[in-house]
Amino acid sequence: MISDRQLDELGPAERADLARRLAGLAPPVRTLAQERARLRFVVVSAVASAVMIPWIAILAATLPPRYLAGHWRATWIGFDVVLGAALALTAWAALRRRRIVILAAAVSGTLLACDAWFDVMTASGPDRWVSIATGALVELPLAGWLFFVALHLVKRRA
């Protein structure tokens, strides 16, 4: 226990450090509005997840096994532009030590995993083996590493 006399003897920097450390120990106080917003978020997320179950069943029953896609080039170029931007944001945020690096790494990892999936699923012939190799050797390991870094940073901040 720290006495009033000991507190009086602390300098401004020591008091600020003590205040910061004590604030880190206390659980955050949530208002009723914050708790309602959190519950609303939980409900919306859960309902959206539940709605996906019949939607997936409908797609499985009705989608044709083959489909000729329009705007194929624009689709892949656009996706890769977004992926490149996410990776650039991740690098910038890490360089600048910004907290957004956690979100950027998670988004980049997700986009890399999606890229690997769609590359493999849309390729045919010898292109499929190239897609499998790049997915297994480059995209998925990099995605896993980005997820690991994001999780590590979240744990360190908690």
Side-chain angles (χ1 to χ4, degrees), residues 37-56:
R38 185 187 71 80
L39 289 175
R40 192 170 28 252
F41 181 78
V42 169
V43 169
V44 169
S45 298
V47 169
S49 174
V51 167
M52 289 302 297
I53 296 168
W55 177 246
I56 291 168

Side-chain angles (χ1 to χ4, degrees), residues 59-76:
L59 290 177
T62 61
L63 280 177
R66 293 187 166 279
Y67 182 79
L68 181 60
H71 310 290
W72 187 249
R73 184 177 296 151
T75 299
W76 281 109

